[in-house]
Amino acid sequence: MSDNPACNEGEPAGPPGLALRSIDHDRRYVLGFPLHVAITVCADRPGACIRRLPRASWAGSAGAIGVRLTRAGSGEEVVRTEPSPVVVRELGTPVFLLSPGACRRMLIDVSSHLPSGLEPGHYTLVIIYVGPPDRVESPPVPIELAAPDLEEQRELQRLAPEIARAGSWGRWTSLPPDGGAPVDTRVDPGDPLRFNRVLRYLMYGPESLCDVDPAVLDVLDGVYAPEAHALRAELHAARGDAARFVEQAERIRSTYPGLAWWIERIEAGQSEIGFVRECRARLRGG
């Protein structure tokens, strides 16, 4: 909660709480691959701000996410996990601030919550987010969990050793390829790994970020569409195309306000993709 009285000026007495503004998801996922959903949270009072909320993302949930998965039709609960966030920034817990009137969209991967051997089928999914002491739950949303086809099975087998070493799809995405192996530059529409592959390409691809063709983002449809717009802003900024960056930033702030924080980071010179690129350049130069 806020520890700054100015944050809650004019608000009713008592600490502000969290509200879930929306949940975004795809209808179909492939078992074994990431299961990305996006939740958007805000303060339950327009003029309130809330500090030190655990920052869940595609890279990791910070312990703040739980799920309930039930079979469609029968209502049988097959998964129930509870969040257990420990918000200690000094120990490296990623946190964020919800300023007055702001909201935050968090794209998260909940595939690690699913047990091995889960049967394909239709389910309803509930997402739980805890930002101590507050807890919000999404309404149940329908999803299909499909069995991987033959090509997808082969890809899962090929990547299994890398995922085992990384520990999760998020860490596999954010860590450099093993032994300096080249990053896949081709990402196909409908690939269950398309978001992860695009991010890897942007962070570890062979060419400079300013030379990346924005068309690589065209595969990011469905639940990834808002993030695709933020990534386009990243590419415009890298190219020094101020006019297109401003246009994209305005679009995000008006259409996807839960990602306004991303634009603010780019504007402040704190792009995470840019940071990874700078670290790579220093290593090559040193």
Side-chain angles (χ1 to χ4, degrees), residues 136-222:
V136 291
E137 291 191 14
S138 77
V141 295
I143 63 170
E144 178 189 358
L145 299 178
D149 62 23
L150 186 58
E151 182 178 345
E152 289 163 346
Q153 290 176 34
R154 289 173 179 157
E155 187 64 358
L156 286 173
Q157 291 170 0
R158 184 183 74 83
L159 292 174
E162 294 181 36
I163 300 304
R165 285 192 292 270
S168 69
W169 285 116
R171 283 189 59 78
W172 174 80
T173 304
S174 58
L175 292 174
D178 291 342
V183 175
D184 291 336
T185 55
R186 177 180 174 180
V187 184
D188 296 323
D191 181 350
L193 277 175
R194 61 193 183 279
F195 180 75
N196 306 72
R197 291 194 203 277
V198 166
L199 281 181
R200 277 192 127 205
Y201 175 50
L202 296 181
M203 291 187 287
Y204 301 110
E207 69 265 66
S208 299
L209 198 60
C210 61
D211 294 325
V212 172
D213 184 351
V216 72
L217 305 176
D218 292 347
V219 299
L220 298 182
D221 55 359

Side-chain angles (χ1 to χ4, degrees), residues 6 29 46 71 83 87 98-99 105 112 123 136 155 224 235 245 252 254 261 268 284:
Y29 297 91
R71 297 188 191 279
V87 183
L98 269 180
S99 2
R105 174 181 163 100
S112 64
Y123 295 85
V136 291
E155 187 64 358
Y224 307 122
L235 296 183
F245 173 77
I252 288 169
S254 61
W261 61 270
R284 286 196 299 264

Side-chain angles (χ1 to χ4, degrees), residues 15-270:
L18 276 177
L20 181 75
R21 176 170 291 185
S22 65
I23 178 170
D24 190 13
H25 64 99
D26 283 331
R27 299 286 298 195
R28 182 182 183 275
Y29 297 91
V30 180
L31 287 166
F33 290 96
L35 198 168
H36 286 117
V37 298
I39 58 171
T40 300
V41 297
C42 57
D44 60 3
R45 302 174 194 168
C49 71
I50 306 178
R51 299 181 184 274
R52 299 177 67 82
L53 290 168
R55 177 163 57 91
S57 73
W58 58 266
S61 69
I65 299 297
V67 305
R68 289 205 304 271
L69 188 73
T70 58
R71 297 188 191 279
S74 71
E76 176 193 359
E77 185 176 85
V78 294
V79 176
R80 175 184 286 265
T81 62
E82 285 295 321
S84 54
V86 178
V87 183
V88 182
R89 191 169 189 174
E90 292 74 14
L91 298 181
T93 305
V95 296
F96 67 96
L97 163 73
L98 269 180
S99 2
C103 57
R104 177 89 176 204
R105 174 181 163 100
M106 293 177 279
L107 182 73
I108 53 177
D109 173 19
V110 299
S111 62
S112 64
H113 293 261
L114 306 184
S116 60
L118 186 64
E119 294 180 1
H122 293 270
Y123 295 85
T124 57
L125 175 70
V126 172
I127 301 296
I128 305 159
Y129 173 78
V130 168
D134 294 296
R135 172 191 177 100
V136 291
E137 291 191 14
S138 77
V141 295
I143 63 170
E144 178 189 358
L145 299 178
D149 62 23
L150 186 58
E151 182 178 345
E152 289 163 346
Q153 290 176 34
R154 289 173 179 157
E155 187 64 358
L156 286 173
Q157 291 170 0
R158 184 183 74 83
L159 292 174
E162 294 181 36
I163 300 304
R165 285 192 292 270
S168 69
W169 285 116
R171 283 189 59 78
W172 174 80
T173 304
S174 58
L175 292 174
D178 291 342
V183 175
D184 291 336
T185 55
R186 177 180 174 180
V187 184
D188 296 323
D191 181 350
L193 277 175
R194 61 193 183 279
F195 180 75
N196 306 72
R197 291 194 203 277
V198 166
L199 281 181
R200 277 192 127 205
Y201 175 50
L202 296 181
M203 291 187 287
Y204 301 110
E207 69 265 66
S208 299
L209 198 60
C210 61
D211 294 325
V212 172
D213 184 351
V216 72
L217 305 176
D218 292 347
V219 299
L220 298 182
D221 55 359
V223 71
Y224 307 122
E227 282 71 22
H229 286 290
L231 291 170
R232 287 185 191 279
E234 291 267 11
L235 296 183
H236 294 325
R239 292 179 172 205
D241 192 335
R244 288 190 177 181
F245 173 77
V246 169
E247 179 183 351
Q248 197 68 19
E250 290 176 351
R251 179 174 187 175
I252 288 169
R253 287 183 167 122
S254 61
T255 309
Y256 308 111
L259 290 178
W261 61 270
W262 196 329
I263 296 301
E264 291 166 4
R265 294 200 65 157
I266 298 174
E267 291 171 336
Q270 298 174 347

